[in-house]
Amino acid sequence: MSIGVWVLGDQLWTGQTALQSCKDNPKQTHVFFIESLHHAQQLPYHLQKLVLVWSAMRHFAEELKQEGWIVSYTQSIDFQTPLIKWIEQYGITELRVMAPADRPFMRLIQSLNLPCSVTFTPNNRFIWQDQEFVDWARSRKRLLMEDFYREGRQRFNVLMDGKHPLGGRWNFDRDNRKPPKGKLTLPEALWFEPDQITQDVIDWVKQSPNLKDSQAYWQIEPFQWGVTRTQALQVLDFFIKTRLSNFGPYQDAMVTGEQTLWHAMLSPYLNIGLLHPLEVVQAAEQAYYANRDTWELNSVEGFVRQIIGWREYMHGIYVYMGEDYPDRNWFNHTQPLPDFYWTGETKMNCLHHVLTQVKATGYAHHIQRLMVLNNFALIAGISPQELQDWFHTAFIDGYDWVMQANVIGMGQYADGGMMASKPYAASANYINTMSDYCKHCTYNPRSRTGETACPFNFMYWDFLARHYDKLKHNPRMTQIYRNLERISAEELQLIRAEAEQWRTEHRQTEYPLPSTPAPHGSPDATPQSVP
């Protein structure tokens, strides 16, 4: 009996279960990496995402070789043909694969006609196991993230004082919403220069006619992301030493020209397996205990909540919801995604700034994603499915399991409130409060109508009016609808006319996404040979 292990492009960690199942015999175990160009072309992925995954795969393959594993690395248009050749060449009788995090890729593997048995080992890239979340969810009437977060804190003994939360409170969120007023002294980010392996990937991507669509949308250089576990650990250590103590207060702030602020920049490494979420949480917790005389708890708690709370919750929701979840559209929004999501060319400075940043780096922090990109799409009535595919395409940390819950559930309220207690809809007032974007904008954040009226304003009030019947009984919307009722009938008519005119002008798009998305989370690919 000969066992082979297929390592996928988001499982780049020696602790992953398929490799661990063979750890006693690495010199007798064949390990397979494959890059399939077909899957890299299903969506016009951000060039920096392609470089990150491909380079990280190549570096990890070399690490395994150095540790004595028998590694085969191949490139092909598809998966099945080279996989079968490898299986037959080495007489593989059992192929072990750590279960993919994304359903479409699991289905793809199951559909392959392979000449050996296939064993899926459990996916251990998350803190909660899949069945643990399902069991928790089935015991609840509502799947509130705050309840899940508290359960996780207790279950894994994170920032706990016996049975009670450290500091006497579970959540310090109200301490973590400071707007960026005055002159802020911002920390540097830790970036890396590409080594030869990474540079080879960059050069190929830049020249490849197969990636023509992606080349038209995204910027590939400077590429500054880490591509190895060693570099990912350096980013984690750098964040803890230079940013974590001040992370909390301004974690929701947005500042013109600042891409990272105090954010950790760890999600790309977590999402391809270079870091494990529990080790990240434990490192932050240990740093707090070592510095508790000078550090405020709200910063560490706020960061821990993003990992053990929000990230784990997003994955759990993905596991728990049915196959139809990504197709949900509670508001029946069908407006096409505007071209400026691809080009960044819009007079709305907040959107221009965030979209330009995404084009350059593949990254934006959580409030830029939720309260600028998602918020505008929601109030403008943009198709949640088109937006989800764009998020998956545009972000360096985007995968199917990440984007379904974040966009369909949280950002677009397309599940009708299964995750969120109310839609995350806001006018320009929120952006004007939490950023300096409005200071440099053509539009007036206080105007609801007229030539200088901010589209966030007339879209927001139009959104509330359009969906009055669906939202009026939501107790968290009571005060909001009282404010809507104070607007005169004449002004509301003008607001709605301007909103409809905007939608009419943006119904044609030059950048349609494919109607059948790729299996998200697949080990993205290039046909270039590897040294």
Side-chain angles (χ1 to χ4, degrees):
M1 180 176 180
S2 180
I3 297 174
V5 175
W6 181 8
V7 176
L8 307 183
D10 60 351
Q11 302 177 353
L12 308 179
W13 173 46
T14 55
Q16 61 117 302
T17 57
L19 289 173
Q20 282 291 298
S21 71
C22 302
K23 67 179 181 178
D24 295 334
N25 298 295
K27 295 183 179 179
Q28 300 175 26
T29 303
H30 292 271
V31 181
F32 186 64
F33 291 80
I34 181 170
E35 298 177 350
S36 168
L37 182 60
H38 173 74
H39 291 280
Q41 293 177 284
Q42 292 296 306
L43 289 171
Y45 293 111
H46 200 296
L47 299 176
Q48 298 206 19
K49 179 181 180 181
L50 300 181
V51 174
L52 172 68
V53 176
W54 297 344
S55 179
M57 286 176 66
R58 296 180 183 194
H59 280 90
F60 187 56
E62 290 300 320
E63 291 174 17
L64 291 182
K65 287 180 184 179
Q66 295 298 318
E67 293 178 7
W69 299 82
I70 307 170
V71 177
S72 298
Y73 201 114
T74 191
Q75 305 80 31
S76 178
I77 295 298
D78 68 345
F79 285 111
Q80 184 159 299
T81 302
L83 186 56
I84 289 175
K85 288 182 179 180
W86 173 75
I87 290 169
E88 293 176 343
Q89 178 181 356
Y90 293 105
I92 304 298
T93 55
E94 179 190 1
L95 177 64
R96 295 182 184 176
V97 187
M98 186 167 82
D102 291 349
R103 278 190 293 265
F105 202 67
M106 171 66 87
R107 290 197 298 267
L108 183 146
I109 296 176
Q110 292 172 331
S111 72
L112 297 177
N113 185 19
L114 302 178
C116 69
S117 65
V118 178
T119 299
F120 290 103
T121 63
N123 191 308
N124 64 346
R125 285 183 46 229
F126 300 90
I127 300 174
W128 285 64
Q129 294 300 306
D130 291 0
Q131 190 59 47
E132 290 176 333
F133 185 91
V134 171
D135 293 342
W136 176 84
R138 285 175 176 168
S139 69
R140 317 293 299 185
K141 290 184 178 180
R142 293 200 64 190
L143 304 182
L144 297 179
M145 196 280 283
E146 183 65 25
D147 293 341
F148 172 76
Y149 169 57
R150 295 181 184 189
E151 174 73 19
R153 287 267 298 274
Q154 295 175 82
R155 182 175 295 206
F156 300 103
N157 193 30
V158 176
L159 296 179
M160 296 296 295
D161 182 8
K163 295 182 179 181
H164 304 285
L166 204 65
R169 287 162 53 189
W170 291 104
N171 191 317
F172 289 79
D173 199 34
R174 65 172 178 262
D175 300 324
N176 292 344
R177 296 172 177 168
K178 287 187 178 181
K181 303 300 182 184
K183 185 174 178 59
L184 299 178
T185 302
L186 302 171
E188 296 293 327
L190 180 62
W191 298 111
F192 302 92
E193 289 293 327
D195 64 6
Q196 190 57 56
I197 291 176
T198 302
Q199 191 61 52
D200 288 344
V201 176
I202 292 171
D203 292 342
W204 185 85
V205 169
K206 288 166 63 175
Q207 299 169 8
S208 173
N210 297 303
L211 301 173
K212 185 177 180 180
D213 286 345
S214 292
Q215 291 165 354
Y217 308 142
W218 315 117
Q219 182 176 325
I220 192 171
E221 291 179 306
F223 180 87
Q224 302 177 96
W225 297 96
V227 291
T228 67
R229 174 164 169 79
T230 297
Q231 290 177 329
L233 286 169
Q234 290 174 4
V235 175
L236 172 59
D237 182 66
F238 185 84
F239 165 69
I240 288 174
K241 290 179 178 177
T242 66
R243 295 175 165 215
L244 177 58
S245 62
N246 292 311
F247 168 76
Y250 296 103
Q251 65 174 284
D252 288 0
M254 298 174 283
V255 179
T256 301
E258 297 295 337
Q259 298 175 337
T260 64
L261 284 87
W262 283 271
H263 292 271
M265 312 293 288
L266 294 174
S267 57
Y269 311 124
L270 285 163
N271 290 1
I272 61 175
L274 296 181
L275 293 174
H276 191 277
L278 189 57
E279 73 177 326
V280 171
V281 167
Q282 290 173 341
E285 182 183 33
Q286 291 166 10
Y288 172 72
Y289 288 134
N291 297 277
R292 63 191 306 173
D293 291 339
T294 56
W295 285 18
E296 297 293 334
L297 180 57
N298 64 295
S299 284
V300 179
E301 186 277 321
F303 174 71
V304 165
R305 180 158 24 95
Q306 288 195 354
I307 305 296
I308 203 171
W310 197 248
R311 185 176 187 273
E312 291 291 310
Y313 179 68
M314 290 293 103
H315 177 250
I317 289 292
Y318 178 84
V319 169
Y320 185 69
M321 296 300 178
E323 293 279 343
D324 69 332
Y325 190 75
D327 300 321
R328 299 191 184 190
N329 192 349
W330 194 65
F331 289 122
N332 193 30
H333 284 171
T334 58
Q335 178 75 15
L337 189 74
D339 287 349
F340 59 71
Y341 272 75
W342 297 99
T343 66
E345 296 175 2
T346 172
K347 293 180 180 179
M348 289 177 278
N349 189 55
C350 57
L351 280 161
H352 170 73
H353 177 81
V354 175
L355 290 164
T356 300
Q357 175 181 318
V358 172
K359 285 172 66 70
T361 65
Y363 173 81
H365 72 67
H366 68 281
I367 292 299
Q368 292 174 316
R369 300 189 197 200
L370 179 62
M371 298 309 298
V372 178
L373 301 176
N374 256 302
N375 179 20
F376 187 78
L378 172 64
I379 60 179
I382 291 167
S383 161
Q385 283 67 43
E386 285 199 28
L387 186 71
Q388 174 192 257
D389 284 343
W390 181 85
F391 264 70
H392 181 104
T393 299
F395 284 105
I396 196 163
D397 54 7
Y399 293 87
D400 196 54
W401 71 265
V402 179
M403 293 311 174
Q404 275 195 27
N406 269 295
V407 176
I408 297 298
M410 186 69 176
Q412 297 302 295
Y413 204 77
D415 62 5
M418 298 181 69
M419 284 178 52
S421 58
K422 75 175 186 66
Y424 275 84
S427 68
N429 182 59
Y430 177 89
I431 296 171
N432 193 31
T433 299
M434 295 306 299
S435 79
D436 64 352
Y437 296 155
C438 297
K439 294 178 181 178
H440 313 286
C441 190
T442 300
Y443 299 110
N444 185 340
R446 295 177 178 83
S447 297
R448 294 191 290 222
T449 59
E451 291 185 3
T452 63
C454 177
F456 272 87
N457 286 338
F458 56 72
M459 284 299 183
Y460 173 70
W461 295 107
D462 175 70
F463 166 79
L464 294 176
R466 279 186 288 126
H467 299 301
Y468 179 84
D469 290 339
K470 284 195 169 187
L471 296 173
K472 65 181 178 180
H473 297 300
N474 185 318
R476 294 196 64 193
M477 302 291 289
T478 301
Q479 184 58 50
I480 294 172
Y481 273 105
R482 286 175 182 165
N483 293 336
L484 175 68
E485 291 164 0
R486 293 189 182 101
I487 299 176
S488 69
E490 293 77 14
E491 184 182 5
L492 184 59
Q493 183 178 8
L494 186 57
I495 286 171
R496 302 202 64 186
E498 291 192 15
E500 181 57 31
Q501 180 180 352
W502 189 97
R503 283 191 291 271
T504 299
E505 292 172 352
H506 290 82
R507 283 198 177 118
Q508 298 299 320
T509 175
E510 297 179 10
Y511 301 94
L513 283 159
S515 57
T516 304
H520 302 331
S522 62
D524 298 317
T526 171
Q528 181 184 352
S529 61
V530 179

